[in-house]
Amino acid sequence: MRIVASSCKETFTLYYHQSEADIASQELPEWREGPWTKVDTIAADESFSQVDSTGKVVKMNVKVRSFGPLTKHGFYLAFQDSGACMSLVAVQVFFYKCPAVVKGFASFPETFAGGERTSLVESPGICVPNAEETSMTGSSGVRLHCNGEGEWMVAIGRCVCKAGYQPIDDERVCQACPLGFFKVSVGHDPCLPCPAHSHAPLPGSRECVCQNRYYRSPMDNSDAPCTGIPSAPRDLSYEIVGSNVLLTWRLPKDLGGRKDIFFNVICKVCPAGSSGPCVRCGDRVQFEPRQVGLTESRVQVSNLLARVHYTFEIQAVNLVTELSPEAPHYATINVSTSQTVPSAVPMMHQVSRTTSSITLSWPQPDQPNGIILDYQLRYFDKAEDEDNSFILTSETNMATISNLSPGKIYAFQVRARTAVGYGAYSGKMYFQTLMGGERSDVVQDRLPLIVGSALGGLAFLVIAAISTLAIIFKSKRQETPYTDRLQQYISARGLGVKYYIDPSTYEDPNEAIREFAKEIDVSFIKIEEVIGSASYRKYKGLKERLILYYHPLRKEVINAIDQDYRLPPPPDCPTVLHLLMLDCWQKERVQRPRFEQIVSALDKMIRKPSALKATGTGSNRPSQPLLSNCPPDFPSLSNAHEWLDAIKMGRYKENFDQAGLITFDVISRMTLEDIQRIGITLVGHQKKILNSIQLMRVHLNQLEPVEV
């Protein structure tokens, strides 16, 4: 092996020169650093002295140098040897580049690497077809970087498939959704099958189109299923609850594919036994909880007229009903109202209380609408929920509630029941039991009820006698004032006047006597008879006996009464008291107030003295002439407005319109209670309208065909 001297230099210098063409010679470019650019001075890392028999060095040093940037078509390399003890065995010239690539739905061209290993060359990309660039904070465009060794790295920005296209082939292609599939948004999600009742007629669909008779509501997403309108409610039925009608039904069999379901109630009044058109109910009819947009399958209807044929339609709707040209599907039911239930009990009185019980009494409803069978009392602790209430039934208008807690406040409500059903509950009234150790007491606030009950009978006797005597004396002479005759009547009767007491107010009538007649010696008081609530006929009998007593004028008085003649109010007579007198002289017996109603009316007057201040005096006192029974010409009348004008009651046209009373068939079935319910409060007008309705009923009956 050849020994190499160790004292020689072991470095050389590398230069390069760029050129647009191959024009180099011995002279050009000049051999100096101006035209030439130095790359580096290169030294061997190791020294090797051994060579093989052929003269080849067994080991060699390999050096790699990068230079650039290169801006011309070519370049020359120069190696400067300054007496180095080394051999340049071989020179290899090469460069790095990043190949063209499609990555992340973006296409990048072939890109040359930088001159240094640590260099990064940025390459802009273009989104593939049917892809779009997604915005990223602080960046714009899609870019990839080529490093010094020809490798792609450091991606900035991204592309994603458009709506209606899905990714395939490892994020290199965006493919259109096939028929029957859709993709609603931009992103990497795949296409999905169309939802129910929809289809995609073209490739690349962003959403599926609803089939015929199916819709999406404005609140539905574009990828939601298409839905239809619901079918009609099922099993519609009604129940009479007091004076109201409770309508119930089941959900439709077909909800249209939706969960939102609402119900609307349509109320109509239809003429009975005729083919005439139905009309919408008036505004007076009330619906609880509401008429439109019900979420529960039940509704309670109130303020209905008695003996009227109603038709109720229950519509089923949802959020796409308004998009459909079809009318909402509905179920229908016919309801004929009969006599109404009692009105609400006006008040309650506490009779007594202990630490564990409270005794209450109450008057009869203002409008019993039949015979009161019993009362239902509902009560609960005020501090607890109303759902935890208890029920007690009483056959009289008094009840003792036991098993209560000491010192607790309880809420009480009561309602009356007739053969038709229960009336509405009264308003809540609160009473408290005694605290432990307190003495049992009897509340004195029942005194007005006692006085009203006792004086009710007396007042009615006096009113009946005065009215009869006034008719007789007025026809014979005018010189005696009404008040003088009243004083003479009272003086003549003297101690013969009897006081009538409602026994249902007290468990023991003797207790009532002791309470309300404290100033009279008990030994002078005798209970002759307990007449109860059916005693009204004895008042009626007294009226007839008083009339018959005045024999010469008997026929004249009876004729005047039969023709609805009633006396005007006496001087300084309170209006409310005169109206009560007129009610007691109603021609129809069932329309006259019962004993309990008279007691209740007098009790209200006692509790509200201001009502007694209004009187009718002088020329403005209400009075009625003898009425002529000349009915309107019904064949010439075509509607309710003409009829009201004919009887001079045109002021009530709006009342009838709001209640839906526009046909004679419906109007002819109205009762006094119906007239009051539509807002006609004047007694004289009520009577005049009712009389004409009775004549109307006779006229309509004459028009009905007779079967042979």
Side-chain angles (χ1 to χ4, degrees):
M1 296 181 69
R2 183 164 57 87
I3 303 298
V4 180
S6 60
S7 59
C8 300
K9 290 185 178 181
E10 298 181 352
T11 62
F12 66 90
T13 304
L14 175 63
Y15 294 90
Y16 77 95
H17 171 74
Q18 295 190 73
S19 176
E20 295 292 348
D22 185 11
I23 57 174
S25 64
Q26 292 292 332
E27 293 79 20
L28 294 175
E30 298 179 7
W31 294 102
R32 55 187 179 83
E33 286 197 12
W36 296 87
T37 303
K38 180 180 178 180
V39 176
D40 195 9
T41 299
I42 301 172
D45 293 332
E46 298 183 41
S47 176
F48 306 106
S49 57
Q50 293 184 349
V51 296
D52 58 11
S53 58
T54 61
K56 292 183 178 181
V57 179
V58 177
K59 294 182 179 180
M60 290 184 294
N61 289 297
V62 178
K63 294 292 184 176
V64 178
R65 291 293 183 270
S66 298
F67 56 89
L70 301 176
T71 59
K72 297 184 178 182
H73 287 99
F75 61 90
Y76 296 96
L77 293 178
F79 301 90
Q80 184 181 17
D81 182 4
S82 57
C85 297
M86 63 177 67
S87 297
L88 187 60
V89 177
V91 176
Q92 182 181 7
V93 179
F94 62 93
F95 63 91
Y96 289 104
K97 68 175 181 177
C98 292
V101 67
V102 176
K103 188 174 184 179
F105 304 107
S107 176
F108 297 93
E110 180 182 75
T111 303
F112 293 100
E116 302 293 336
R117 288 180 177 271
T118 58
S119 63
L120 290 176
V121 178
E122 185 177 88
S123 176
I126 301 174
C127 293
V128 300
N130 302 315
E132 63 183 47
E133 183 181 327
T134 58
S135 60
M136 300 183 64
T137 304
S139 66
S140 61
V142 181
R143 301 186 298 278
L144 203 59
H145 292 81
C146 182
N147 66 11
E149 295 182 350
E151 298 175 346
W152 290 110
M153 60 185 302
V154 191
I156 297 177
R158 60 184 304 186
C159 295
V160 292
C161 291
K162 297 179 180 179
Y165 295 85
Q166 62 183 351
I168 62 171
D169 196 16
D170 194 23
E171 297 189 350
R172 287 194 289 268
V173 177
C174 290
Q175 181 189 55
C177 295
L179 296 178
F181 287 76
F182 78 106
K183 181 186 170 190
V184 69
S185 59
V186 174
H188 297 298
D189 297 329
C191 297
L192 298 175
C194 287
H197 306 295
S198 65
H199 66 287
L202 298 174
S205 296
R206 298 187 175 190
E207 65 179 68
C208 297
V209 182
C210 290
Q211 298 173 355
N212 188 32
R213 300 179 65 183
Y214 290 92
Y215 316 91
R216 290 190 183 97
S217 78
M219 300 178 62
D220 293 338
N221 295 326
S222 59
D223 58 348
C226 297
T227 54
I229 64 175
S231 58
R234 296 179 292 168
D235 300 338
L236 175 59
S237 62
Y238 74 92
E239 177 185 353
I240 302 296
V241 180
S243 59
N244 306 329
V245 172
L246 178 64
L247 301 174
T248 58
W249 58 89
R250 292 175 58 199
L251 290 175
K253 184 177 181 180
D254 181 11
L255 297 180
R258 305 186 64 87
K259 293 183 179 180
D260 51 87
I261 180 74
F262 307 95
F263 303 99
N264 301 330
V265 184
I266 306 299
C267 175
K268 298 180 180 179
V269 177
C270 300
S274 66
S275 59
C278 298
V279 296
R280 290 291 183 98
C281 298
D283 295 336
R284 294 187 59 84
V285 178
Q286 300 296 317
F287 300 86
E288 181 64 33
R290 66 187 66 87
Q291 184 178 5
V292 178
L294 289 165
T295 56
E296 296 183 357
S297 55
R298 59 191 294 133
V299 66
Q300 183 163 290
V301 189
S302 58
N303 283 359
L304 298 175
L305 298 175
R307 289 176 288 280
V308 174
H309 297 282
Y310 290 94
T311 296
F312 293 99
E313 296 176 0
I314 307 299
Q315 296 179 343
V317 298
N318 56 21
L319 293 181
V320 301
T321 299
E322 60 182 9
L323 304 177
S324 172
E326 299 180 67
H329 297 150
Y330 63 89
T332 183
I333 193 170
N334 297 322
V335 178
S336 295
T337 56
S338 58
Q339 184 179 359
T340 57
V341 296
S343 61
V345 174
M347 67 187 70
M348 282 185 285
H349 304 275
Q350 178 179 299
V351 177
S352 63
R353 61 174 178 164
T354 67
T355 56
S356 61
S357 67
I358 293 177
T359 300
L360 301 176
S361 67
W362 53 89
Q364 184 172 281
D366 294 339
Q367 298 175 356
N369 298 325
I371 299 175
I372 302 297
L373 301 179
D374 53 42
Y375 295 90
Q376 188 179 78
L377 189 72
R378 180 170 68 178
Y379 63 97
F380 59 92
D381 191 335
K382 182 182 178 182
E384 297 182 2
D385 194 271
E386 187 173 346
D387 295 335
N388 300 325
S389 60
F390 298 91
I391 301 295
L392 179 68
T393 301
S394 174
E395 295 183 356
T396 65
N397 58 344
M398 176 179 285
T400 299
I401 302 90
S402 305
N403 299 323
L404 304 179
S405 301
K408 288 278 189 177
I409 299 177
Y410 291 88
F412 295 88
Q413 291 177 284
V414 66
R415 62 178 179 176
R417 182 176 72 91
T418 62
V420 179
Y422 280 107
Y425 273 111
S426 64
K428 296 184 183 70
M429 295 193 68
Y430 299 90
F431 301 98
Q432 184 178 15
T433 55
L434 291 176
M435 300 292 293
E438 274 192 276
R439 184 179 178 183
S440 177
D441 64 345
V442 177
V443 179
Q444 296 299 321
D445 63 357
R446 67 178 181 175
L447 182 57
L449 182 62
I450 299 170
V451 175
S453 301
L455 293 181
L458 173 61
F460 190 78
L461 287 173
V462 174
I463 292 170
I466 291 173
S467 301
T468 305
L469 292 174
I471 294 173
I472 297 169
F473 291 143
K474 184 175 182 180
S475 64
K476 302 297 290 182
R477 65 181 188 274
Q478 300 293 333
E479 66 275 5
T480 305
Y482 182 87
T483 52
D484 292 344
R485 295 200 301 274
L486 175 60
Q487 183 62 41
Q488 293 171 7
Y489 173 77
I490 296 177
S491 301
R493 301 294 293 175
L495 296 178
V497 177
K498 295 183 180 181
Y499 289 82
Y500 289 84
I501 302 172
D502 184 359
S504 62
T505 310
Y506 297 87
E507 294 181 356
D508 182 5
N510 291 294
E511 180 185 354
I513 296 297
R514 290 192 297 270
E515 179 67 27
F516 122 90
K518 294 180 179 179
E519 70 280 4
I520 303 177
D521 193 317
V522 179
S523 61
F524 292 102
I525 299 176
K526 178 183 178 182
I527 300 178
E528 293 185 353
E529 182 183 3
V530 177
I531 62 176
S533 61
S535 60
Y536 182 79
R537 285 190 291 273
K538 296 187 177 182
Y539 295 138
K540 178 183 177 185
L542 174 61
K543 177 196 72 173
E544 293 173 349
R545 289 196 296 274
L546 288 173
I547 294 175
L548 295 174
Y549 179 77
Y550 293 94
H551 176 270
L553 300 174
R554 177 178 63 191
K555 187 174 181 180
E556 180 183 349
V557 172
I558 292 177
N559 289 337
I561 293 175
D562 285 341
Q563 294 192 29
D564 291 332
Y565 176 72
R566 301 295 183 264
L567 282 178
D572 299 325
C573 176
T575 302
V576 292
L577 187 57
H578 181 238
L579 293 177
L580 179 60
M581 295 166 60
L582 294 177
D583 288 339
C584 294
W585 279 91
Q586 290 283 353
K587 182 182 295 185
E588 298 292 335
R589 180 176 63 83
V590 294
Q591 295 178 5
R592 301 172 194 150
R594 295 166 57 88
F595 178 81
E596 293 85 350
Q597 292 175 281
I598 297 174
V599 171
S600 176
L602 294 174
D603 183 67
K604 291 180 180 179
M605 296 179 196
I606 295 172
R607 293 180 178 274
K608 192 176 181 181
S610 60
L612 300 173
K613 295 181 180 179
T615 60
T617 59
S619 60
N620 62 349
R621 286 185 300 181
S623 63
Q624 289 180 288
L626 291 176
L627 299 177
S628 62
N629 294 324
C630 295
D633 185 13
F634 285 106
S636 65
L637 305 178
S638 60
N639 54 53
H641 286 193
E642 293 181 0
W643 166 67
L644 290 171
D645 289 335
I647 62 174
K648 295 181 173 56
M649 291 287 111
R651 69 178 68 181
Y652 297 117
K653 291 178 182 178
E654 185 175 352
N655 301 60
F656 278 76
D657 290 343
Q658 290 181 352
L661 302 169
I662 60 176
T663 64
F664 289 161
D665 182 70
V666 176
I667 296 174
S668 65
R669 293 193 294 272
M670 291 182 65
T671 63
L672 178 61
E673 183 186 73
D674 297 333
I675 296 174
Q676 295 171 343
R677 183 178 290 119
I678 66 174
I680 301 177
T681 58
L682 295 178
V683 176
H685 292 181
Q686 294 173 359
K687 181 165 51 180
K688 187 171 184 179
I689 293 174
L690 184 61
N691 289 338
S692 185
I693 287 175
Q694 293 171 347
L695 296 174
M696 181 190 299
R697 190 179 303 130
V698 173
H699 168 72
L700 294 177
N701 291 337
Q702 293 173 350
L703 298 178
E704 293 181 357
V706 179
E707 296 183 3
V708 180

